[in-house]
Amino acid sequence: MSNTLLSSPLQGFTDYKFRNAFNHFFGGIDTFYSPYIRLNGKLVIKNSYQKDILLENNTELEVIPQIITNDVDEFLFVSKYVQELGYKELNWNLGCPYPMVTKRGMGSGLINDAEKINSILHKVHNESDILVSMKMRMGYENPEEILAVLPILDTYPLKNIAIHARIGKQLYKGGTNLEAFQKCLDNSKHKMYYNGDITSVAAFKKLQERFTTIDHWMIGRGLIADPFLPSMIKNDTTEYPKNRFDIFHEFHNRIYEEYDAALSGPTPIKMKMLGFWEYFSQSFANPQKTYKKIKKAQSPKNYAIAVNEIFKEAKNR
Ligand SMILES: Cc1cc2nc3c(=O)[nH]c(=O)nc-3n(C[C@H](O)[C@H](O)[C@H](O)COP(=O)(O)O)c2cc1C
């Protein structure tokens, strides 16, 4: 069975600049989900969201846009917008665990409202021909919440349901719940995608052995921590290319230059890159030391020195 690998959206990380550089230097991802579009009570799409999904910024990539909402008018508005750009599909986020989202009945805070999910899907399918796919956790309070939703989802021609095998209240803590994920598979007619903690080829293989009917896998944090992971999964190997850290270094420099050109002043670029290094550091022999070194670099010059030292040491190992 051939596996399709999808880049799970990470707000603040996997924008079009990252996606293009990732695809160029590492490959291995079939389709990228763009981070969610959220409207703030008005039917207006922020410039940064618009830019992120413009076809001209994604020429080499297959991208699926995503929305987070609990409002059908917003859903229809964004559907029309993405269709006009040329997209056929809109992914609906029912997974976000953060209180500022869930307290407003969105993201994983919407999973326990099966009736609302039904009414939104009903109207969307009546008034639009957008292809809808779902990305969900299994609940907010407990993983049974989704079991009341799956029979409703069965009545719509969804493209697929991707499930991050956690509940909202966990945030990113604790393990995935694979028994509960199996229950979702047993209770849905839809094509299911797996998401959660694919952080190594070995972790992927274990999941693949357990869930033999799954052939679509979404990788989020794992591909920032180890950008070679998708291509290694695809090539069924645990061997890195010999010039692993040369490629990684070039990739780093590419995204640094692009973000540096787009952001103004030394602090925003430092914060942006520090976010990446929280994950990148895991590719290096001593992640904590690596991260600290970046954190300590207070000027662009010192940042460049720290980065060069980190890659030099990794290349010489
Ligand atoms: C910083 C951050 C931002 C995220 N942004 C989004 C998002 O915009 N849309 C979404 O569906 N999931 C988002 N997620 C969830 C991830 O896509 C993914 O479902 C989750 O991290 C579990 O997969 P992983 O273990 O492979 O990372 C985000 C996660 C993190 C840590």
Side-chain angles (χ1 to χ4, degrees), residues 9-289:
L10 300 168
Q11 195 80 244
F13 294 90
T14 63
D15 64 4
Y16 75 95
K17 293 187 170 83
F18 175 90
R19 296 192 297 267
N20 283 299
F22 185 93
N23 196 48
H24 176 78
F25 287 99
F26 306 107
I29 288 293
D30 296 283
T31 303
F32 292 81
Y33 289 85
S34 58
Y36 64 68
I37 294 172
R38 181 178 173 184
L39 307 186
N40 282 318
K42 282 193 208 137
L43 296 183
V44 176
I45 298 176
K46 260 197 333 201
N47 270 348
S48 58
Y49 294 142
Q50 294 194 20
K51 228 172 164 180
D52 193 42
I53 58 171
L54 276 181
L55 292 199
E56 69 206 53
N57 288 333
N58 294 280
T59 49
E60 310 285 316
L61 311 173
E62 187 164 320
V63 173
I64 298 169
Q66 187 187 63
I67 184 172
I68 192 163
T69 189
N70 58 7
D71 180 285
V72 72
D73 293 328
E74 287 187 2
F75 203 124
L76 287 166
F77 178 76
V78 174
S79 296
K80 187 158 174 274
Y81 178 78
V82 300
Q83 280 184 310
E84 279 167 8
L85 289 179
Y87 292 100
K88 303 219 164 358
E89 176 181 351
L90 184 61
N91 183 260
W92 190 13
N93 179 319
L94 266 68
C96 184
Y98 293 115
M100 62 207 176
V101 163
T102 56
K103 279 193 181 141
R104 296 192 177 149
M106 287 190 275
S108 61
L110 183 56
I111 301 171
N112 68 2
D113 195 345
E115 221 169 276
K116 183 139 203 186
I117 295 169
N118 191 21
S119 78
I120 291 174
L121 287 175
H122 184 76
K123 198 156 179 209
V124 166
H125 284 92
N126 269 348
E127 296 187 17
S128 164
D129 60 356
I130 190 92
L131 190 55
V132 179
S133 61
M134 313 283 292
K135 180 168 178 285
M136 315 176 64
R137 292 199 183 209
M138 300 182 296
Y140 184 80
E141 285 290 337
N142 68 70
E144 267 73 56
E145 289 171 28
I146 194 172
L147 299 177
V149 182
L150 291 173
I152 290 167
L153 300 186
D154 271 351
T155 66
Y156 294 99
L158 304 176
K159 179 165 166 245
N160 67 274
I161 305 171
I163 296 184
H164 174 194
R166 282 192 172 85
I167 53 172
K169 150 175 119 168
Q170 275 182 274
L171 297 171
Y172 290 90
K173 295 179 206 119
T176 49
N177 184 342
L178 300 183
E179 290 78 28
F181 177 74
Q182 180 64 51
K183 252 196 198 162
C184 297
L185 299 186
D186 297 341
N187 284 280
S188 177
K189 292 193 187 119
H190 283 298
K191 173 92 184 165
M192 305 296 257
Y193 296 4
Y194 175 85
N195 173 231
D197 294 2
I198 301 177
T199 52
S200 66
V201 175
F204 170 76
K205 288 205 159 180
K206 247 174 122 174
L207 287 162
Q208 196 186 22
E209 275 161 29
R210 177 156 180 173
F211 300 113
T212 53
T213 58
I214 299 283
D215 61 2
H216 282 64
W217 309 87
M218 292 179 84
I219 310 179
R221 294 162 298 169
L223 67 72
I224 303 185
D226 184 356
F228 290 95
L229 179 61
S231 64
M232 292 203 302
I233 290 174
K234 275 284 167 80
N235 296 324
D236 194 17
T237 180
T238 51
E239 296 266 319
Y240 288 93
K242 287 213 171 60
N243 55 350
R244 171 185 182 186
F245 287 105
D246 294 301
I247 300 172
F248 204 148
H249 197 175
E250 277 185 57
F251 165 74
H252 166 277
N253 291 351
R254 167 78 61 90
I255 59 170
Y256 182 90
E257 279 161 25
E258 295 208 1
Y259 289 124
D260 194 34
L263 298 166
S264 49
T267 306
I269 181 70
K270 172 72 195 298
M271 296 317 289
K272 184 84 185 168
M273 296 314 293
L274 198 59
F276 279 111
W277 279 101
E278 229 178 297
Y279 295 101
F280 287 168
S281 59
Q282 291 166 43
S283 277
F284 296 85
N286 188 334
Q288 266 181 330
K289 196 174 135 209

